[in-house]
Amino acid sequence: MHLHIDNRSALGPVFQATPERVEAALAKRPDLRAQLNITIGTDGAEFKRAMQTADILFGWQFDRELIARGEAPRLRWVHAHGAGINHLLPLDWLPKRAVLTNSRGIHAEKADEYTVMALLMLNNRLPESATHQRAAHWEQVFSSSIVGKTVLIIGVGHIGAGAARWAKRFGLHVVGIRRSGRRHPHVHEMHTPDALHALLPRADFVLVTAPHTDETTHLIGAAELALMKDGAGLVNYSRANLVDYDALRAELEAGRLSAVLDVFDPEPLPASSPLWQTPNLIMTPHCSSDDTELYTPKTLDLVLRNVERFIAGKPLLNKVNPARQY
């Protein structure tokens, strides 16, 4: 069985499936050595040749047109080296018999740290203090304890559930929204998306951890932001297009809301973007939860675990549902 890994140098060392990392992952599953031929390329090098015999493709951005033309005759499984798959949509390039998996859940521990950090930053009004700092303006910004306040988590999946667990530990009242409405042990109240407008006025903090799909584009727009209480804070962890940043910027400039953002469109965010100068905002350049040392090794562990399942004819973990787009 042939697994081809296509690395992208522009993504940096965190996301490189190097020979050393691949070897370390294989060492945990030595039985796979005799069953698996692994090739590694960078920036599309050897891609065309590898696709002639590859059964499995591991990558982030690759020549989908080549696959769509039928030049990957044996391809039956593609693993996206990340949680989001929006850049791969529509999936009309994916062979009909092939499945797509992603890396959701790999971020868990680091994501938990970031989301709880962001909530604590908002509660302690650090975006506001950072604005004063940049202006060399001394103003004491006091705050109250986070205990007893309400966080609304939009999208209680892997990341949202981890955030809920920590929020509950810190004494927050946790309100969740998920498509199924299914209860979760760390969420005090669970609702379906149709309750969003009723819940926003109650929240001291809104944490966006839902996937980006056609249905969630600008889920938080001007109308939704207007429903948030004065002094509330917003964290966008998932994808930029879930939040209308123009509308958010207006609220931040008015001093009514504060925010922590990790995702942008486009990325890298151009120097001309007004977000760089927006007050009451802290930005991190889409680096919130990709563990420097562990992200790719943990992803490779997941892929090789799935290789074992693939060989055994078992359903793959983290299979993407094309209808849901995640």
Side-chain angles (χ1 to χ4, degrees), residues 33-267:
R33 292 185 186 276
Q35 304 179 69
L36 198 57
N37 170 37
I38 300 178
T39 56
I40 303 175
T42 299
D43 297 334
E46 302 299 321
F47 185 80
K48 184 174 183 178
R49 180 184 301 178
M51 286 301 98
Q52 294 174 9
T53 57
D55 303 283
I56 307 164
L57 169 62
F58 174 105
W60 177 245
Q61 291 178 326
F62 41 83
D63 189 348
R64 301 194 299 278
E65 292 184 5
L66 181 147
I67 298 173
R69 291 195 301 267
E71 296 184 43
R74 291 174 46 180
L75 190 64
R76 295 182 56 201
W77 165 27
V78 177
H79 182 88
H81 190 15
I85 58 134
N86 303 85
H87 65 296
L88 299 177
L89 297 175
L91 298 179
D92 51 4
W93 57 270
L94 190 68
K96 290 183 179 180
R97 63 175 183 166
V99 296
L100 175 66
T101 58
N102 66 4
S103 297
R104 64 180 182 271
I106 296 297
H107 309 74
E109 292 87 356
K110 189 70 165 53
D112 290 354
E113 295 173 12
Y114 183 90
T115 52
V116 72
M117 175 192 73
L119 292 175
L120 290 170
M121 288 170 71
L122 289 172
N123 186 66
N124 286 281
R125 300 172 64 184
L126 286 189
E128 186 177 345
S129 289
T131 299
H132 295 315
Q133 177 182 326
R134 289 193 294 268
H137 174 64
W138 176 273
E139 181 167 337
Q140 292 177 304
V141 179
F142 297 100
S143 60
S144 59
S145 171
I146 201 169
V147 175
K149 294 182 181 179
T150 297
V151 58
L152 171 61
I153 300 177
I154 302 174
V156 186
H158 287 281
I159 304 303
R165 177 168 59 92
W166 282 97
K168 193 174 182 181
R169 286 185 183 181
F170 276 88
L172 283 153
H173 181 73
V174 183
V175 180
I177 290 179
R178 69 193 318 183
R179 186 182 55 81
S180 67
R182 190 173 66 253
R183 297 179 63 183
H184 190 279
H186 300 306
V187 176
H188 296 101
E189 303 175 38
M190 188 68 78
H191 300 267
T192 50
D194 60 327
L196 176 62
H197 282 203
L199 297 173
L200 283 168
R202 297 174 50 194
D204 297 289
F205 313 103
V206 175
L207 173 59
V208 182
T209 53
H212 178 219
T213 68
D214 292 341
E215 294 179 351
T216 61
T217 297
H218 282 190
L219 182 69
I220 303 296
E224 289 72 26
L225 292 166
L227 290 172
M228 292 174 62
K229 65 171 68 173
D230 289 354
L234 174 84
V235 182
N236 189 8
Y237 167 92
S238 49
R239 289 292 181 266
N241 288 321
L242 273 78
V243 179
D244 182 341
Y245 281 0
D246 289 337
L248 175 62
R249 193 174 74 252
E251 295 282 10
L252 298 175
E253 289 175 344
R256 203 178 72 80
L257 302 178
S258 60
V260 176
L261 305 178
D262 184 58
V263 284
F264 305 91
D265 184 22
E267 293 184 357

Side-chain angles (χ1 to χ4, degrees), residues 287-300:
C287 56
S288 60
S289 57
D290 299 317
D291 190 300
T292 308
E293 302 297 329
L294 297 178
Y295 180 72
T296 295
K298 289 173 70 174
T299 301
L300 287 169

